[in-house]
Amino acid sequence: RVLGEYSNEARAMANAPGNELTPRVFADRAVAMAKAAGLATEVLDEERIASLKMGLVLGVARGSHEPPRLVVLRHDPPNAIPGAVLGLVGKGITFDTGGISIKPADNMDKMKDDMSGGAAVICAMPAIAAPKAPVRCIGIVPMTENMPGGHAVKPGDVLTSANGKTVEIINTDAEGRLILGDGLWYARELGATHLVDV
């Protein structure tokens, strides 16, 4: 029953229109769900993301007027298996136009669901906490829009990730792997020993 409730919530978030489920609203919903489940939460705003040098998240976010967010959820039970920390990292693109490499107009309306991996992580964390699973778990969801604004990243640009690796942008519609790159790095920085990207 608990899993069904969280599955329905993840589906509802994935179906929400992009003008309503912006990165900031998505982050607020994640925090509300997590707090109700007794999970520790943290939301990184664009300044904190910049201070961590997450150039991949910031690069994708550049074309949008909506600022990015990165949500951290933690399940840290006292009876956790020692030495293991599961890191769940979910893609939180609340709307994906493709950026400068813009998608065809047909079916672009469906790109409001490009944050469903992030929704899955947000809903998996309370589902893990509900039965008091004896495993430490960190959920990370980088959240942004991918828009073709005047400051948007361009094909041929080079971005620097939080771990110092550089990435040449060939197609701006490959934004998911970019934000997941910084998200996976941060999960490891927070102690994750096993990673799942969604």
Side-chain angles (χ1 to χ4, degrees):
R1 178 178 173 189
V2 170
L3 288 176
E5 290 173 12
Y6 290 125
S7 295
N8 289 338
E9 181 61 29
R11 189 175 299 111
M13 285 192 280
N15 287 328
N19 65 318
E20 292 181 8
L21 194 77
T22 62
R24 287 177 286 188
V25 172
F26 194 21
D28 290 344
R29 286 182 69 174
V31 168
M33 283 186 64
K35 285 188 174 176
L39 296 166
T41 66
E42 181 182 11
V43 177
L44 282 57
D45 65 11
E46 63 272 29
E47 291 169 4
R48 180 76 175 117
I49 292 168
S51 75
L52 289 166
K53 300 184 177 169
M54 293 186 180
L56 304 182
V57 172
L58 292 172
V60 173
R62 277 192 345 216
S64 176
H65 291 294
E66 288 289 335
R69 293 291 181 262
L70 189 141
V71 170
V72 180
L73 310 174
R74 295 173 192 261
H75 171 62
D76 195 9
N79 62 336
I81 300 163
V85 181
L86 177 62
L88 303 177
V89 184
K91 178 181 175 185
I93 301 291
T94 59
F95 195 84
D96 180 19
T97 66
I100 296 295
S101 307
I102 199 160
K103 293 177 179 289
D106 288 347
N107 297 316
M108 196 194 290
D109 59 296
K110 294 181 177 58
M111 290 299 98
K112 63 186 180 182
D113 71 359
D114 211 23
M115 38 54 67
S116 56
V121 169
I122 289 164
C123 293
M125 290 295 294
I128 290 167
K132 298 184 173 31
V135 61
R136 289 178 60 209
C137 188
I138 301 168
I140 306 278
V141 183
M143 303 168 171
T144 184
E145 295 179 332
N146 186 23
M147 301 293 282
H151 296 285
V153 68
K154 305 171 293 298
D157 286 359
V158 176
L159 302 177
T160 303
S161 66
N163 73 358
K165 292 185 189 232
T166 54
V167 179
E168 182 181 13
I169 306 304
I170 304 302
N171 185 315
T172 63
D173 197 22
E175 82 297 327
R177 66 200 71 186
L178 294 174
I179 69 168
L180 286 171
D182 276 344
L184 289 163
W185 169 82
Y186 197 49
R188 291 192 65 188
E189 286 291 297
L190 296 178
T193 59
H194 298 73
L195 295 170
V196 178
D197 65 326
V198 188

